[in-house]
Amino acid sequence: LNDNSSHYKITLSGTVKSPKINFDPPFLMLMPVPLNVKTETAINIVPQHYLRQSQIQVELPELELEDGDRIYPFSVQFREGQDIVLSSDGTNKELICHISFRSSRPVSFLGNIFFIDEEEN
């Protein structure tokens, strides 16, 4: 600098944080209900470290009954949208997901519902 032929070494360091989502509550238990009666609850999806907009997709389980029939008793609804948005303060806005269950046949289930972003995380 200023015609000085000395070499300067600059070292940069940083941390890369991968996008992730957390859930509140982390586990879901729906109460038993009579046949053909809907039970529903809401969960908060808390996205973190998303630097650009993404959209959440949901994979719902298919259940196989004792007689071999297959049913899809779960449904989800995002009443305020499924987009993960970066707000002006650098954080991601929480999403509210309503999960419901209804079945015309007796069934119990223990398993996973998968929430996937556009990069398949």
Side-chain angles (χ1 to χ4, degrees):
L1 309 174
N2 293 337
D3 296 326
N4 187 345
S5 62
S6 298
H7 295 282
Y8 292 92
K9 181 179 178 181
I10 297 175
T11 303
L12 301 174
S13 64
T15 303
V16 176
K17 295 185 178 182
S18 297
K20 66 178 183 174
I21 53 177
N22 292 317
F23 301 91
D24 181 27
F27 299 97
L28 178 65
M29 184 182 304
L30 296 171
M31 300 310 293
V33 292
L35 296 178
N36 273 329
V37 173
K38 181 167 79 169
T39 182
E40 180 179 34
T41 192
I43 61 168
N44 291 323
I45 298 174
V46 185
Q48 295 178 320
H49 313 302
Y50 280 84
L51 300 178
R52 60 180 174 266
Q53 184 170 323
S54 188
Q55 189 174 73
I56 296 290
Q57 301 297 321
V58 183
E59 288 183 3
L60 297 171
E62 173 187 63
L63 305 184
E64 184 174 351
L65 303 175
E66 290 179 4
D67 64 1
D69 285 351
R70 296 183 175 275
I71 61 170
Y72 290 90
F74 292 97
S75 63
V76 296
Q77 186 177 38
F78 292 86
R79 295 179 184 151
E80 298 175 16
Q82 296 172 236
D83 292 333
I84 296 174
V85 179
L86 183 65
S87 53
S88 59
D89 65 357
T91 61
N92 299 118
K93 182 181 174 190
E94 290 185 10
L95 303 172
I96 298 173
C97 178
H98 296 267
I99 300 174
S100 62
F101 174 90
R102 180 191 311 240
S103 177
S104 61
R105 308 266 301 273
V107 65
S108 63
F109 171 76
L110 174 64
N112 297 310
I113 295 175
F114 292 99
F115 293 81
I116 304 163
D117 66 18
E118 289 179 354
E119 295 179 9
E120 298 187 6
N121 294 312

